[in-house]
Amino acid sequence: MMDPIKAAREMGKAIQNSPEYIAMKEAEKACDGDAKLQELIGDFNLVRMNLTEENAKAEKDDKKIAELNEQLQKAYTDIMGNEHMMNYNIAKQDVEAIMQKINTIMQAAINGDDVDSCD
């Protein structure tokens, strides 16, 4: 009989060695190494911080808030339109799909269902 904790560790290793996980980590490194993308993320965070500060003021400047919201949306669109970020998001979705299948199988096991036939 296999220890469930040991089996979980083995599954973790299998996930880390899967092509989907490896692709996600490579896409993550590409994002980290993309100076333009990192600049866009920095700009986004700065605008978000300014928007938070503006919203916290007792007397809000609605025009400034609207401008900051517009800047934030543009920064987000620019980030999401970056090739490296798009590749990362696709790779991340692939890993999330694997994790969803694993969670389904684990839930079936807890429910006493046949884990070989659930999907």
Side-chain angles (χ1 to χ4, degrees), residues 21-87:
Y21 180 85
I22 292 167
M24 183 186 74
K25 295 308 277 183
E26 288 174 357
E28 190 176 284
K29 285 180 190 172
C31 286
D32 291 345
D34 183 336
K36 179 62 177 165
L37 176 59
Q38 294 308 311
E39 181 182 327
L40 290 170
I41 292 170
D43 292 347
F44 175 87
N45 288 331
L46 183 61
V47 172
R48 185 177 59 183
M49 185 178 69
N50 290 338
L51 181 59
T52 299
E53 287 175 8
E54 193 61 40
N55 275 318
K57 290 181 179 178
E59 292 191 26
K60 295 176 179 37
D61 181 341
D62 290 339
K63 184 178 177 190
K64 187 168 185 176
I65 289 172
E67 288 172 5
L68 289 168
N69 272 320
E70 191 175 310
Q71 289 175 18
L72 193 67
Q73 183 59 47
K74 182 187 181 321
Y76 179 82
T77 300
D78 291 346
I79 290 168
M80 291 302 147
N82 176 281
E83 180 183 359
H84 290 133
M85 183 57 78
M86 288 188 291
N87 291 339

Side-chain angles (χ1 to χ4, degrees), residues 12-26:
K13 291 174 190 174
I15 291 167
Q16 290 176 335
N17 288 311
S18 71
E20 294 85 356
Y21 180 85
I22 292 167
M24 183 186 74
K25 295 308 277 183
E26 288 174 357

